[in-house]
Amino acid sequence: MIDLIIKNAKVATASDLFICDIGVDKEKIVFLEKNSSKVAKRTIDAKNQYVLPGGVDGHCHLDQRTKDGTEMSDNFESGSRSAAFGGTTTIMPFAIQFKGESLRKIIDEYHTRANDQSYIDYTFHPIISDASSKVIGQELPAMVKDGYTHFKIYMTYEDLQLNDREILDTLEAAGREKAVVMIHAENYECLKWLTEKLEAEGKTDPVHHSDSRPGVVESEATNRAIALSRITKTPILFVHVSDREAIETIRNAQNKGYKIYAETCPQYLFLKRDDLKKGNFEGAKYICSPPPRDPENQKYVWNGIQNGTFDILSSDHAPFNFKGDKGKMINGDKTPFKNIPNGVPGLETRLPLLFSEGVLGKKISINKFVEVTSTNPAKIYGLYPKKGTISIGSDADIVIWDTGLEKKIKNSDLHHDTDYTPYEGMTVKCWPGTVISRGNVVVENGKLLGKKGFGKFLKSEISNYVY
Ligand code: URP
Ligand code: ZN
Ligand code: ZN
Protein backbone atom coordinates (compact mmCIF):
# COMPACT_ATOMS: atom_id res chain seq x y z
CA MET A 1 0.00 0.00 0.00
CA ILE A 2 1.40 3.40 -0.91
CA ASP A 3 1.58 6.31 1.52
CA LEU A 4 -0.88 8.83 0.10
CA ILE A 5 -3.36 9.46 -2.70
CA ILE A 6 -4.72 12.92 -3.48
CA LYS A 7 -7.96 12.32 -5.38
CA ASN A 8 -9.62 14.52 -7.99
CA ALA A 9 -6.78 17.04 -7.96
CA LYS A 10 -7.00 19.98 -10.35
CA VAL A 11 -3.28 19.88 -11.08
CA ALA A 12 -1.51 22.83 -12.66
CA THR A 13 2.09 22.72 -13.80
CA ALA A 14 3.95 25.41 -15.70
CA SER A 15 2.51 24.02 -18.92
CA ASP A 16 -0.66 22.00 -18.21
CA LEU A 17 -3.91 21.89 -16.30
CA PHE A 18 -5.55 18.49 -15.77
CA ILE A 19 -7.62 16.53 -13.27
CA CYS A 20 -6.16 13.34 -11.84
CA ASP A 21 -5.33 11.34 -8.73
CA ILE A 22 -1.78 11.77 -7.44
CA GLY A 23 -0.06 8.78 -5.86
CA VAL A 24 2.71 9.40 -3.36
CA ASP A 25 5.05 6.82 -1.90
CA LYS A 26 8.41 7.07 -0.11
CA GLU A 27 8.51 10.87 -0.54
CA LYS A 28 8.02 10.77 -4.34
CA ILE A 29 5.15 11.12 -6.77
CA VAL A 30 4.60 7.60 -8.11
CA PHE A 31 1.57 7.99 -10.36
CA LEU A 32 -0.77 10.49 -11.97
CA GLU A 33 -3.96 8.64 -12.98
CA LYS A 34 -7.57 9.39 -13.65
CA ASN A 35 -9.99 7.58 -11.26
CA SER A 36 -7.28 5.41 -9.77
CA SER A 37 -8.43 2.23 -8.06
CA LYS A 38 -5.26 2.02 -5.98
CA VAL A 39 -5.41 2.36 -2.22
CA ALA A 40 -3.16 4.24 0.18
CA LYS A 41 -2.58 4.64 3.90
CA ARG A 42 -4.17 8.06 3.59
CA THR A 43 -6.50 9.58 0.99
CA ILE A 44 -7.21 13.29 0.61
CA ASP A 45 -10.07 14.38 -1.62
CA ALA A 46 -9.09 17.62 -3.40
CA LYS A 47 -12.22 17.92 -5.57
CA ASN A 48 -12.49 21.40 -7.12
CA GLN A 49 -9.22 22.51 -5.53
CA TYR A 50 -6.11 23.59 -7.33
CA VAL A 51 -3.24 21.28 -6.54
CA LEU A 52 0.12 22.84 -7.37
CA PRO A 53 3.80 22.07 -6.95
CA GLY A 54 5.13 23.41 -3.66
CA GLY A 55 6.51 26.90 -3.97
CA VAL A 56 10.23 27.35 -4.49
CA ASP A 57 11.36 30.65 -3.00
CA GLY A 58 14.57 31.48 -4.83
CA HIS A 59 15.55 34.42 -2.63
CA CYS A 60 15.24 34.87 1.13
CA HIS A 61 17.47 35.89 4.03
CA LEU A 62 17.41 33.90 7.27
CA ASP A 63 19.71 34.22 10.25
CA GLN A 64 22.06 36.19 8.02
CA ARG A 65 25.09 37.73 9.68
CA THR A 66 25.15 41.53 9.82
CA LYS A 67 27.86 44.06 10.67
CA ASP A 68 25.87 46.99 12.03
CA GLY A 69 24.44 45.62 15.28
CA THR A 70 21.11 44.62 13.72
CA GLU A 71 19.82 41.06 13.89
CA MET A 72 17.48 39.26 11.56
CA SER A 73 14.24 38.34 13.27
CA ASP A 74 13.86 34.99 11.49
CA ASN A 75 16.14 32.02 11.60
CA PHE A 76 15.87 28.74 9.71
CA GLU A 77 13.21 27.43 12.07
CA SER A 78 10.82 30.39 12.04
CA GLY A 79 11.51 31.27 8.41
CA SER A 80 10.93 27.74 7.10
CA ARG A 81 7.80 27.40 9.26
CA SER A 82 6.40 30.61 7.89
CA ALA A 83 7.31 29.62 4.32
CA ALA A 84 5.49 26.30 4.73
CA PHE A 85 2.31 28.01 5.97
CA GLY A 86 2.47 30.12 2.82
CA GLY A 87 2.74 27.12 0.49
CA THR A 88 6.50 27.12 -0.06
CA THR A 89 8.35 23.83 0.26
CA THR A 90 11.87 24.84 -0.85
CA ILE A 91 13.77 27.92 0.27
CA MET A 92 17.06 29.44 -0.83
CA PRO A 93 18.61 31.67 1.82
CA PHE A 94 21.97 33.40 1.45
CA ALA A 95 25.28 32.56 3.07
CA ILE A 96 27.07 35.89 3.28
CA GLN A 97 30.81 36.33 2.85
CA PHE A 98 32.45 39.47 4.22
CA LYS A 99 35.76 40.66 2.83
CA GLY A 100 38.72 38.52 3.88
CA GLU A 101 36.59 35.45 4.63
CA SER A 102 36.76 32.07 2.98
CA LEU A 103 33.64 31.04 1.04
CA ARG A 104 34.04 27.48 2.22
CA LYS A 105 34.14 28.59 5.85
CA ILE A 106 30.99 30.66 5.56
CA ILE A 107 29.16 27.77 3.91
CA ASP A 108 30.16 25.48 6.76
CA GLU A 109 28.91 28.09 9.19
CA TYR A 110 25.53 28.41 7.47
CA HIS A 111 25.14 24.64 7.53
CA THR A 112 25.52 24.87 11.30
CA ARG A 113 22.85 27.55 11.42
CA ALA A 114 20.44 25.49 9.31
CA ASN A 115 21.13 21.97 10.55
CA ASP A 116 18.11 20.30 12.18
CA GLN A 117 16.18 23.58 12.07
CA SER A 118 14.22 23.62 8.85
CA TYR A 119 10.73 22.25 8.24
CA ILE A 120 11.31 22.20 4.48
CA ASP A 121 14.17 21.59 2.07
CA TYR A 122 16.71 24.30 1.37
CA THR A 123 19.83 25.24 -0.52
CA PHE A 124 22.16 28.22 -0.14
CA HIS A 125 23.25 31.02 -2.41
CA PRO A 126 26.76 32.07 -1.30
CA ILE A 127 27.25 35.85 -1.52
CA ILE A 128 30.66 36.75 -2.94
CA SER A 129 31.85 40.08 -1.57
CA ASP A 130 35.57 39.31 -1.78
CA ALA A 131 36.47 38.49 -5.36
CA SER A 132 40.11 37.68 -4.60
CA SER A 133 41.95 35.38 -6.99
CA LYS A 134 41.84 32.66 -4.31
CA VAL A 135 38.07 32.96 -3.89
CA ILE A 136 37.13 33.02 -7.54
CA GLY A 137 40.04 30.98 -8.86
CA GLN A 138 39.98 28.15 -6.32
CA GLU A 139 36.99 28.26 -3.98
CA LEU A 140 34.29 29.02 -6.56
CA PRO A 141 35.18 26.10 -8.87
CA ALA A 142 35.45 23.70 -5.93
CA MET A 143 32.09 24.83 -4.58
CA VAL A 144 30.35 24.41 -7.94
CA LYS A 145 31.63 20.82 -7.99
CA ASP A 146 30.16 20.33 -4.50
CA GLY A 147 26.67 21.45 -5.55
CA TYR A 148 26.73 25.20 -4.86
CA THR A 149 26.02 26.33 -8.39
CA HIS A 150 24.47 29.77 -7.80
CA PHE A 151 26.01 32.89 -6.23
CA LYS A 152 24.98 36.46 -5.56
CA ILE A 153 27.07 39.58 -6.06
CA TYR A 154 26.29 43.20 -5.20
CA MET A 155 26.91 46.46 -7.02
CA THR A 156 25.93 48.34 -3.84
CA TYR A 157 26.35 48.36 -0.02
CA GLU A 158 29.70 49.56 1.33
CA ASP A 159 30.73 46.16 2.69
CA LEU A 160 29.50 44.01 -0.16
CA GLN A 161 29.87 45.83 -3.47
CA LEU A 162 32.22 44.67 -6.19
CA ASN A 163 33.68 47.17 -8.65
CA ASP A 164 33.41 46.61 -12.40
CA ARG A 165 36.82 44.95 -12.60
CA GLU A 166 35.89 42.52 -9.80
CA ILE A 167 32.56 41.80 -11.47
CA LEU A 168 34.33 41.00 -14.74
CA ASP A 169 36.69 38.62 -12.93
CA THR A 170 33.81 36.95 -11.09
CA LEU A 171 31.65 36.62 -14.20
CA GLU A 172 34.53 35.17 -16.18
CA ALA A 173 35.16 32.51 -13.49
CA ALA A 174 31.44 31.79 -13.08
CA GLY A 175 31.04 31.48 -16.84
CA ARG A 176 33.84 28.94 -17.00
CA GLU A 177 32.29 26.89 -14.19
CA LYS A 178 28.70 27.28 -15.44
CA ALA A 179 27.51 28.92 -12.24
CA VAL A 180 24.48 31.21 -12.10
CA VAL A 181 25.35 34.75 -10.98
CA MET A 182 22.58 36.75 -9.32
CA ILE A 183 23.18 40.50 -9.35
CA HIS A 184 21.87 43.25 -7.09
CA ALA A 185 22.01 46.19 -9.47
CA GLU A 186 22.12 49.66 -7.92
CA ASN A 187 24.83 52.25 -8.54
CA TYR A 188 26.50 52.72 -5.16
CA GLU A 189 28.36 55.96 -5.93
CA CYS A 190 25.15 57.62 -7.17
CA LEU A 191 23.03 56.60 -4.21
CA LYS A 192 25.79 57.57 -1.78
CA TRP A 193 26.07 60.99 -3.41
CA LEU A 194 22.29 61.45 -3.26
CA THR A 195 22.20 60.26 0.37
CA GLU A 196 24.84 62.80 1.38
CA LYS A 197 22.89 65.62 -0.30
CA LEU A 198 19.66 64.57 1.43
CA GLU A 199 21.42 64.39 4.78
CA ALA A 200 22.89 67.88 4.27
CA GLU A 201 19.32 69.13 3.79
CA GLY A 202 18.18 67.34 6.96
CA LYS A 203 16.08 64.86 4.96
CA THR A 204 16.62 61.67 6.91
CA ASP A 205 13.05 60.35 7.33
CA PRO A 206 12.24 56.88 5.92
CA VAL A 207 10.66 58.25 2.72
CA HIS A 208 13.99 59.77 1.70
CA HIS A 209 15.38 56.26 1.37
CA SER A 210 13.33 56.21 -1.81
CA ASP A 211 14.77 59.59 -2.96
CA SER A 212 18.28 58.27 -2.47
CA ARG A 213 17.59 55.33 -4.80
CA PRO A 214 15.52 56.61 -7.75
CA GLY A 215 14.84 54.30 -10.68
CA VAL A 216 17.81 55.59 -12.65
CA VAL A 217 20.18 54.33 -9.94
CA GLU A 218 18.84 50.85 -10.66
CA SER A 219 18.57 51.15 -14.45
CA GLU A 220 22.12 52.51 -14.85
CA ALA A 221 23.56 49.57 -12.90
CA THR A 222 21.35 47.16 -14.82
CA ASN A 223 22.60 48.48 -18.14
CA ARG A 224 26.23 48.29 -16.97
CA ALA A 225 25.85 44.75 -15.65
CA ILE A 226 24.44 43.66 -19.00
CA ALA A 227 27.55 45.12 -20.67
CA LEU A 228 29.79 43.20 -18.25
CA SER A 229 27.81 40.03 -18.95
CA ARG A 230 28.25 40.55 -22.70
CA ILE A 231 31.97 41.23 -22.39
CA THR A 232 32.51 38.02 -20.39
CA LYS A 233 29.84 36.08 -22.31
CA THR A 234 28.40 34.97 -18.98
CA PRO A 235 24.64 34.84 -18.34
CA ILE A 236 23.39 36.81 -15.32
CA LEU A 237 20.18 36.99 -13.31
CA PHE A 238 18.99 40.33 -11.93
CA VAL A 239 17.37 39.99 -8.51
CA HIS A 240 14.55 42.09 -7.04
CA VAL A 241 14.05 44.20 -10.17
CA SER A 242 11.70 47.10 -9.52
CA ASP A 243 12.10 49.96 -11.96
CA ARG A 244 10.35 50.32 -15.32
CA GLU A 245 13.48 51.49 -17.15
CA ALA A 246 15.47 48.59 -15.70
CA ILE A 247 12.71 46.24 -16.89
CA GLU A 248 12.84 47.75 -20.39
CA THR A 249 16.64 47.45 -20.42
CA ILE A 250 16.43 43.78 -19.47
CA ARG A 251 13.69 43.17 -22.05
CA ASN A 252 15.78 44.76 -24.81
CA ALA A 253 18.77 42.60 -23.94
CA GLN A 254 16.61 39.47 -23.88
CA ASN A 255 15.13 40.42 -27.27
CA LYS A 256 18.65 40.61 -28.68
CA GLY A 257 19.25 37.05 -27.52
CA TYR A 258 21.50 37.72 -24.54
CA LYS A 259 21.11 35.31 -21.64
CA ILE A 260 19.77 37.78 -19.15
CA TYR A 261 17.33 36.53 -16.54
CA ALA A 262 15.31 38.45 -14.00
CA GLU A 263 13.47 38.16 -10.73
CA THR A 264 10.92 40.47 -9.15
CA CYS A 265 9.16 40.37 -5.77
CA PRO A 266 5.71 41.08 -4.27
CA GLN A 267 6.93 44.38 -2.77
CA TYR A 268 7.12 45.83 -6.29
CA LEU A 269 3.56 44.74 -7.09
CA PHE A 270 1.83 45.54 -3.80
CA LEU A 271 3.84 48.24 -1.97
CA LYS A 272 4.46 51.81 -3.04
CA ARG A 273 6.67 54.80 -2.35
CA ASP A 274 3.89 56.52 -0.37
CA ASP A 275 4.00 53.70 2.18
CA LEU A 276 7.41 55.03 3.23
CA LYS A 277 5.74 58.32 4.19
CA LYS A 278 3.65 56.73 6.95
CA GLY A 279 3.99 58.58 10.27
CA ASN A 280 5.38 57.47 13.63
CA PHE A 281 8.33 55.95 11.82
CA GLU A 282 5.97 53.34 10.27
CA GLY A 283 7.50 54.16 6.87
CA ALA A 284 10.60 52.23 8.00
CA LYS A 285 8.58 49.02 7.70
CA TYR A 286 8.67 49.40 3.91
CA ILE A 287 12.35 50.18 3.49
CA CYS A 288 13.98 47.72 1.16
CA SER A 289 16.36 48.08 -1.75
CA PRO A 290 15.49 48.84 -4.43
CA PRO A 291 12.60 50.74 -2.79
CA PRO A 292 8.91 50.29 -3.63
CA ARG A 293 8.05 52.57 -6.58
CA ASP A 294 4.85 54.42 -7.55
CA PRO A 295 1.59 52.71 -8.61
CA GLU A 296 2.24 53.47 -12.30
CA ASN A 297 5.50 51.55 -12.06
CA GLN A 298 3.66 48.52 -10.62
CA LYS A 299 1.94 48.09 -14.00
CA TYR A 300 5.32 47.58 -15.67
CA VAL A 301 6.22 44.95 -13.11
CA TRP A 302 2.96 43.06 -13.73
CA ASN A 303 3.58 43.37 -17.45
CA GLY A 304 7.09 41.99 -17.01
CA ILE A 305 5.61 38.89 -15.40
CA GLN A 306 2.97 38.56 -18.13
CA ASN A 307 5.38 38.90 -21.05
CA GLY A 308 8.14 36.70 -19.64
CA THR A 309 10.75 39.36 -18.87
CA PHE A 310 10.66 38.02 -15.31
CA ASP A 311 11.57 34.39 -14.92
CA ILE A 312 11.10 34.26 -11.17
CA LEU A 313 9.02 35.85 -8.42
CA SER A 314 10.70 35.49 -5.02
CA SER A 315 9.96 36.96 -1.61
CA ASP A 316 13.36 38.54 -0.81
CA HIS A 317 12.23 37.95 2.78
CA ALA A 318 14.73 40.10 4.72
CA PRO A 319 13.25 40.23 8.21
CA PHE A 320 13.99 42.90 10.80
CA ASN A 321 11.66 43.71 13.66
CA PHE A 322 10.03 47.13 13.63
CA LYS A 323 10.38 47.52 17.40
CA GLY A 324 13.41 46.93 19.60
CA ASP A 325 17.00 47.97 19.08
CA LYS A 326 18.09 45.20 16.71
CA GLY A 327 15.84 46.07 13.78
CA LYS A 328 14.35 49.07 12.02
CA MET A 329 14.74 51.17 15.20
CA ILE A 330 18.41 50.40 15.68
CA ASN A 331 18.94 54.02 16.76
CA GLY A 332 15.41 54.66 18.02
CA ASP A 333 12.38 56.00 16.18
CA LYS A 334 14.42 58.78 14.61
CA THR A 335 16.94 56.43 13.01
CA PRO A 336 18.09 58.14 9.79
CA PHE A 337 17.08 56.17 6.69
CA LYS A 338 20.72 55.45 5.93
CA ASN A 339 21.01 53.33 9.10
CA ILE A 340 17.65 51.54 8.87
CA PRO A 341 18.24 47.90 7.92
CA ASN A 342 16.96 47.14 4.43
CA GLY A 343 14.36 44.51 3.74
CA VAL A 344 10.78 43.41 4.29
CA PRO A 345 9.38 40.06 5.46
CA GLY A 346 7.31 38.10 2.94
CA LEU A 347 7.98 34.34 2.87
CA GLU A 348 4.43 33.46 3.93
CA THR A 349 2.54 36.04 1.91
CA ARG A 350 4.41 35.67 -1.43
CA LEU A 351 2.19 32.97 -2.94
CA PRO A 352 -1.24 34.01 -1.59
CA LEU A 353 -0.72 37.59 -2.81
CA LEU A 354 0.30 36.54 -6.32
CA PHE A 355 -2.32 33.78 -6.60
CA SER A 356 -5.07 36.10 -5.40
CA GLU A 357 -4.30 39.25 -7.36
CA GLY A 358 -2.55 37.55 -10.27
CA VAL A 359 -4.48 34.35 -10.99
CA LEU A 360 -7.88 35.02 -9.40
CA GLY A 361 -7.64 38.65 -10.51
CA LYS A 362 -7.08 37.37 -14.07
CA LYS A 363 -3.76 39.11 -14.63
CA ILE A 364 -1.82 35.86 -15.16
CA SER A 365 -2.68 32.24 -15.85
CA ILE A 366 -2.36 29.51 -13.25
CA ASN A 367 0.48 28.07 -15.37
CA LYS A 368 2.39 31.36 -15.29
CA PHE A 369 1.92 31.41 -11.51
CA VAL A 370 3.48 27.94 -11.18
CA GLU A 371 6.23 28.87 -13.64
CA VAL A 372 7.51 31.96 -11.83
CA THR A 373 6.99 30.78 -8.25
CA SER A 374 8.11 27.16 -8.48
CA THR A 375 9.24 25.67 -11.81
CA ASN A 376 11.62 28.37 -13.00
CA PRO A 377 13.45 28.87 -9.70
CA ALA A 378 13.89 25.08 -9.50
CA LYS A 379 15.20 24.98 -13.08
CA ILE A 380 17.44 28.03 -12.87
CA TYR A 381 19.02 26.95 -9.59
CA GLY A 382 19.57 23.33 -10.65
CA LEU A 383 16.89 21.51 -8.64
CA TYR A 384 14.48 20.49 -11.43
CA PRO A 385 12.63 18.10 -11.80
CA LYS A 386 13.21 16.96 -8.21
CA LYS A 387 11.57 20.26 -7.22
CA GLY A 388 9.26 22.64 -9.06
CA THR A 389 6.72 20.36 -10.72
CA ILE A 390 4.17 17.61 -10.30
CA SER A 391 5.47 14.68 -12.29
CA ILE A 392 6.26 11.04 -11.70
CA GLY A 393 9.57 10.72 -9.89
CA SER A 394 9.57 14.28 -8.53
CA ASP A 395 9.62 14.92 -4.80
CA ALA A 396 6.05 14.97 -3.49
CA ASP A 397 6.09 18.67 -2.64
CA ILE A 398 2.44 19.52 -3.18
CA VAL A 399 0.08 22.29 -2.13
CA ILE A 400 -3.70 21.99 -2.08
CA TRP A 401 -5.14 25.48 -2.31
CA ASP A 402 -8.30 26.85 -0.70
CA THR A 403 -9.99 29.47 -2.85
CA GLY A 404 -13.24 31.43 -2.54
CA LEU A 405 -12.06 33.07 0.70
CA GLU A 406 -11.90 36.65 1.87
CA LYS A 407 -8.92 36.65 4.18
CA LYS A 408 -7.42 39.77 5.68
CA ILE A 409 -3.68 39.48 6.15
CA LYS A 410 -2.78 40.06 9.79
CA ASN A 411 0.67 39.71 11.24
CA SER A 412 -0.80 37.98 14.28
CA ASP A 413 -1.94 35.15 11.96
CA LEU A 414 1.46 34.70 10.30
CA HIS A 415 4.10 32.25 11.48
CA HIS A 416 7.36 34.16 11.18
CA ASP A 417 9.03 35.73 14.21
CA THR A 418 8.93 39.25 12.76
CA ASP A 419 6.73 41.77 14.54
CA TYR A 420 5.03 43.17 11.42
CA THR A 421 4.03 42.47 7.85
CA PRO A 422 4.02 45.25 5.25
CA TYR A 423 0.87 43.64 3.82
CA GLU A 424 -1.19 44.14 7.00
CA GLY A 425 -4.88 44.62 6.17
CA MET A 426 -4.69 43.53 2.52
CA THR A 427 -7.33 40.99 1.50
CA VAL A 428 -6.58 37.79 -0.38
CA LYS A 429 -9.03 35.31 -1.86
CA CYS A 430 -7.01 32.14 -1.34
CA TRP A 431 -4.58 30.46 1.01
CA PRO A 432 -2.75 27.12 1.02
CA GLY A 433 -4.92 24.58 2.86
CA THR A 434 -2.66 21.51 2.87
CA VAL A 435 1.09 21.72 2.35
CA ILE A 436 3.05 18.55 1.70
CA SER A 437 6.83 18.28 1.71
CA ARG A 438 8.32 15.03 0.38
CA GLY A 439 5.05 13.24 1.02
CA ASN A 440 4.71 14.48 4.60
CA VAL A 441 1.93 16.85 5.55
CA VAL A 442 3.62 19.91 7.05
CA VAL A 443 0.57 22.16 7.35
CA GLU A 444 -3.11 21.24 7.37
CA ASN A 445 -6.14 23.33 8.33
CA GLY A 446 -3.92 26.03 9.78
CA LYS A 447 -2.00 23.58 11.98
CA LEU A 448 1.70 22.80 11.89
CA LEU A 449 2.14 19.05 11.53
CA GLY A 450 5.68 19.05 10.16
CA LYS A 451 8.80 18.40 12.17
CA LYS A 452 11.64 20.80 12.73
CA GLY A 453 14.73 19.29 11.11
CA PHE A 454 12.77 17.34 8.47
CA GLY A 455 14.02 19.77 5.80
CA LYS A 456 17.24 18.67 4.09
CA PHE A 457 19.99 20.54 2.34
CA LEU A 458 19.77 20.18 -1.45
CA LYS A 459 22.83 20.07 -3.67
CA SER A 460 22.21 21.87 -6.95
CA GLU A 461 23.03 20.63 -10.43
CA ILE A 462 24.53 22.88 -13.10
CA SER A 463 21.64 24.91 -14.48
CA ASN A 464 20.53 24.44 -18.09
CA TYR A 465 20.04 28.20 -18.20
CA VAL A 466 23.76 28.95 -18.34
CA TYR A 467 24.63 26.84 -21.37
O1 URP B 1 16.38 45.44 0.91
C1 URP B 1 16.68 44.32 0.66
N1 URP B 1 16.37 43.77 -0.49
N2 URP B 1 17.36 43.64 1.58
C2 URP B 1 17.84 42.37 1.45
C3 URP B 1 19.22 42.36 0.92
C4 URP B 1 19.22 42.26 -0.57
O2 URP B 1 19.90 43.04 -1.16
O3 URP B 1 18.58 41.41 -1.14
ZN1 ZN C 1 19.90 42.39 -3.08
ZN1 ZN D 1 17.65 39.86 -0.85
Side-chain angles (χ1 to χ4, degrees):
M1 196 184 293
I2 64 168
D3 290 335
L4 171 70
I5 297 182
I6 303 169
K7 303 241 12 130
N8 307 308
K10 204 197 304 179
V11 175
T13 65
S15 54
D16 298 303
L17 181 60
F18 52 93
I19 293 177
C20 76
D21 299 341
I22 306 172
V24 173
D25 197 36
K26 298 186 184 68
E27 304 194 350
K28 302 274 180 201
I29 295 171
V30 291
F31 68 73
L32 300 173
E33 288 178 6
K34 275 208 187 306
N35 304 318
S36 170
S37 56
K38 300 204 175 76
V39 283
K41 290 177 202 154
R42 178 163 183 207
T43 301
I44 299 174
D45 190 357
K47 199 170 167 65
N48 297 326
Q49 287 177 286
Y50 279 115
V51 178
L52 309 183
V56 177
D57 196 333
H59 183 156
C60 63
H61 305 263
L62 297 175
D63 202 8
Q64 188 174 300
R65 295 180 304 146
T66 59
K67 275 196 144 178
D68 58 359
T70 59
E71 266 176 29
M72 287 205 160
S73 42
D74 283 305
N75 55 23
F76 283 82
E77 179 187 1
S78 62
S80 66
R81 180 181 67 214
S82 171
F85 271 97
T88 287
T89 51
T90 303
I91 47 173
M92 304 193 191
F94 292 85
I96 192 167
Q97 177 205 37
F98 291 117
K99 295 202 193 296
E101 294 179 334
S102 139
L103 268 191
R104 175 67 68 183
K105 231 180 103 209
I106 62 110
I107 279 293
D108 290 346
E109 212 236 310
Y110 272 86
H111 274 293
T112 313
R113 288 172 185 243
N115 252 344
D116 300 328
Q117 296 298 309
S118 187
Y119 288 91
I120 53 174
D121 292 345
Y122 58 93
T123 182
F124 299 130
H125 304 293
I127 290 172
I128 300 178
S129 68
D130 188 341
S132 67
S133 53
K134 180 159 186 267
V135 170
I136 59 170
Q138 295 171 28
E139 291 201 302
L140 186 145
M143 295 198 55
V144 171
K145 283 193 185 63
D146 286 352
Y148 304 91
T149 62
H150 29 88
F151 299 82
K152 181 176 178 187
I153 61 171
Y154 284 82
M155 299 171 86
T156 183
Y157 296 127
E158 186 85 44
D159 288 337
L160 301 176
Q161 59 161 334
L162 301 185
N163 63 33
D164 289 355
R165 169 81 195 218
E166 292 167 327
I167 295 174
L168 286 167
D169 287 341
T170 306
L171 290 184
E172 186 187 40
R176 224 176 12 243
E177 303 302 327
K178 303 272 177 267
V180 174
V181 181
M182 308 157 79
I183 299 199
H184 179 140
E186 287 184 296
N187 181 317
Y188 181 65
E189 290 302 326
C190 291
L191 68 89
K192 195 170 156 207
W193 187 83
L194 285 165
T195 300
E196 284 165 14
K197 281 184 92 66
L198 288 160
E199 278 177 325
E201 292 166 29
K203 295 180 173 167
T204 61
D205 287 348
V207 70
H208 299 301
H209 170 77
S210 158
D211 302 330
S212 73
R213 300 172 112 104
V216 64
V217 163
E218 182 182 349
S219 61
E220 186 285 327
T222 303
N223 194 42
R224 185 157 38 96
I226 290 169
L228 303 178
S229 158
R230 289 174 55 190
I231 291 166
T232 55
K233 299 189 176 51
T234 299
I236 51 173
L237 186 148
F238 288 102
V239 289
H240 45 52
V241 175
S242 71
D243 169 62
R244 60 180 278 188
E245 270 183 31
I247 298 169
E248 280 161 12
T249 303
I250 291 167
R251 186 74 179 159
N252 281 341
Q254 291 169 339
N255 284 343
K256 288 184 182 142
Y258 302 124
K259 288 193 176 172
I260 303 293
Y261 306 110
E263 169 207 82
T264 193
C265 311
Q267 42 273 41
Y268 307 116
L269 296 169
F270 298 99
L271 303 180
K272 49 193 187 310
R273 176 188 140 82
D274 277 2
D275 290 324
L276 280 84
K277 288 186 182 161
K278 289 185 182 163
N280 299 325
F281 197 62
E282 294 265 327
K285 292 180 174 176
Y286 307 88
I287 286 194
C288 56
S289 293
R293 310 281 181 198
D294 59 40
E296 184 61 20
N297 193 87
Q298 291 174 351
K299 294 183 195 154
Y300 290 84
V301 182
W302 277 112
N303 189 238
I305 297 174
Q306 289 157 340
N307 69 21
T309 307
F310 290 117
D311 304 280
I312 298 181
L313 181 127
S314 309
S315 68
D316 192 8
H317 180 89
F320 293 96
N321 277 332
F322 178 58
K323 297 212 170 108
D325 59 1
K326 300 282 184 216
K328 299 285 185 183
M329 292 194 194
I330 173 89
N331 302 126
D333 63 4
K334 298 277 180 300
T335 301
F337 74 81
K338 192 176 81 178
N339 299 338
I340 298 172
N342 286 197
V344 294
L347 268 168
E348 192 164 343
T349 44
R350 173 182 78 119
L351 297 178
L353 283 167
L354 190 72
F355 195 134
S356 186
E357 188 65 25
V359 180
L360 303 176
K362 301 205 183 315
K363 289 187 168 78
I364 57 171
S365 69
I366 187 78
N367 308 102
K368 176 58 87 176
F369 173 82
V370 173
E371 182 188 332
V372 296
T373 60
S374 179
T375 310
N376 278 353
K379 283 184 174 173
I380 291 177
Y381 300 123
L383 299 176
Y384 186 86
K386 182 178 172 63
K387 303 294 185 188
T389 192
I390 291 185
S391 67
I392 294 168
S394 293
D395 280 359
D397 290 358
I398 298 168
V399 179
I400 306 174
W401 281 81
D402 294 337
T403 49
L405 322 170
E406 287 277 324
K407 183 179 161 84
K408 227 177 209 171
I409 295 176
K410 290 196 232 136
N411 197 55
S412 52
D413 291 339
L414 300 180
H415 300 84
H416 56 197
D417 275 350
T418 304
D419 65 2
Y420 81 98
T421 168
Y423 307 105
E424 185 80 32
M426 291 186 191
T427 301
V428 288
K429 295 186 160 57
C430 54
W431 204 266
T434 305
V435 180
I436 298 168
S437 164
R438 280 189 278 115
N440 287 272
V441 177
V442 189
V443 172
E444 194 168 36
N445 299 325
K447 294 221 159 37
L448 180 66
L449 303 181
K451 294 220 169 11
K452 186 173 102 164
F454 175 79
K456 285 190 193 146
F457 173 73
L458 301 161
K459 284 190 179 192
S460 300
E461 305 284 335
I462 297 284
S463 168
N464 286 338
Y465 280 61
V466 290
Y467 278 101

